[in-house]
Amino acid sequence: GENVEQHPSTLSVQEGDSAVIKCTYSDSASNYFPWYKQELGKRPQLIIDIRSNVGEKKDQRIAVTLNKTAKHFSLHITETQPEDSAVYFCACLGGYNKLIFGAGTRLAVHP
Amino acid sequence: DAGVIQSPRHEVTEMGQEVTLRCKPISGHNSLFWYRQTMMRGLELLIYFNNNVPIDDSGMPEDRFSAKMPNASFSTLKIQPSEPRDSAVYFCASSSRTGSLNEQFFGPGTRLTVL
């Protein structure tokens, strides 16, 4: 069945360091891979996404890489700031526009 | 556009009572999703609709849960009777299958507490 594994479940970094979150998926037909950020008490919001026709996408301090052969994709946050502290979810597109979400990574950025 | 609208934002009820959560998707979106989020179980997909038709309800935990989408601009998730273990944040999300647009937009959620 469709499945997404996300690691690590928690991540603690010092302000200014980089953070990397990794996900693997099982459905080789999936062609859309979004990342959502959920701050405490708020709704999940899309921060970046990538489609299978590209290998990397950047938006300021965040970047996502995709390896379709290995079926894994990663989120990279550089120069982390305290406001980056949140839960991050990876996802891949399943049938009928459904998103299969990973279990989430709780990122804490310490000043 | 106001985004996905959910009501109520908070609901506190007693065990055994019926609870109805409401969602208005973004205009023009034809896919609608109901999620439940708890600390223990994370973000769970309960049911989703495409063009108002339920596609997959395998995530609905029990027969106490039911969902409807009578038209393109309204959906409900009902729990009857409610139990304390149903306490969670329930999110509704919508997306469009038009072209290559797949982003799901989440509503603000309904925080349900069953005493």
Side-chain angles (χ1 to χ4, degrees):
Chain A
E2 302 162 317
N3 185 48
V4 175
E5 292 192 3
Q6 182 172 348
H7 300 280
S9 57
T10 60
L11 181 58
S12 182
V13 300
Q14 289 296 124
E15 183 177 359
D17 288 349
S18 295
V20 180
I21 303 170
K22 299 181 179 182
C23 289
T24 59
Y25 61 98
S26 58
D27 184 2
S28 57
S30 189
N31 61 2
Y32 174 68
F33 307 89
W35 287 87
Y36 283 78
K37 176 183 180 182
Q38 186 178 25
E39 298 177 349
L40 188 62
K42 303 283 184 63
R43 75 191 80 183
Q45 292 194 293
L46 180 74
I47 55 170
I48 194 169
D49 57 15
I50 190 168
R51 299 189 184 275
S52 58
N53 57 344
V54 298
E56 183 175 1
K57 183 176 178 180
K58 289 187 71 174
D59 183 2
Q60 299 182 2
R61 295 185 299 105
I62 60 174
V64 58
T65 59
L66 171 65
N67 183 328
K68 278 224 80 176
T69 302
K71 291 192 283 189
H72 66 71
F73 56 113
S74 302
L75 178 72
H76 303 251
I77 307 174
T78 58
E79 300 173 33
T80 53
Q81 302 169 2
E83 51 265 39
D84 295 330
S85 297
V87 178
Y88 292 81
F89 293 95
C90 64
C92 69
L93 188 67
Y96 288 99
N97 227 26
K98 176 178 72 171
L99 289 179
I100 314 299
F101 283 92
T105 296
R106 186 174 299 277
L107 173 65
V109 181
H110 301 285
Chain B
D1 198 317
V4 176
I5 299 172
Q6 289 187 248
S7 65
R9 294 292 306 277
H10 302 273
E11 176 81 27
V12 180
T13 190
E14 293 189 345
M15 182 174 64
Q17 296 297 305
E18 178 179 297
V19 174
T20 299
L21 311 182
R22 297 173 175 80
C23 176
K24 177 177 167 47
I26 292 173
S27 178
H29 282 189
N30 57 357
S31 296
L32 183 140
F33 308 83
W34 281 102
Y35 294 90
R36 177 173 69 175
Q37 187 173 41
T38 61
M39 288 293 292
M40 292 298 296
R41 301 174 71 91
L43 193 62
E44 301 174 274
L45 177 63
L46 301 177
I47 185 171
Y48 61 101
F49 297 82
N50 191 54
N51 293 326
N52 313 338
V53 176
I55 301 300
D56 184 354
D57 65 354
S58 61
M60 297 285 259
E62 300 169 36
D63 291 344
R64 298 184 295 106
F65 286 69
S66 62
K68 294 182 180 180
M69 192 165 186
N71 57 62
S73 59
F74 184 65
S75 176
T76 59
L77 177 68
K78 186 176 293 187
I79 308 173
Q80 165 65 13
S82 58
E83 297 182 4
R85 59 193 166 125
D86 301 331
S87 298
V89 179
Y90 291 81
F91 287 104
C92 174
S94 70
S95 69
S96 172
R97 294 186 68 191
T98 302
S100 62
L101 298 177
N102 301 118
E103 179 182 354
Q104 278 191 23
F105 294 83
F106 283 76
T110 295
R111 182 173 296 276
L112 173 65
T113 302
V114 183
L115 303 174

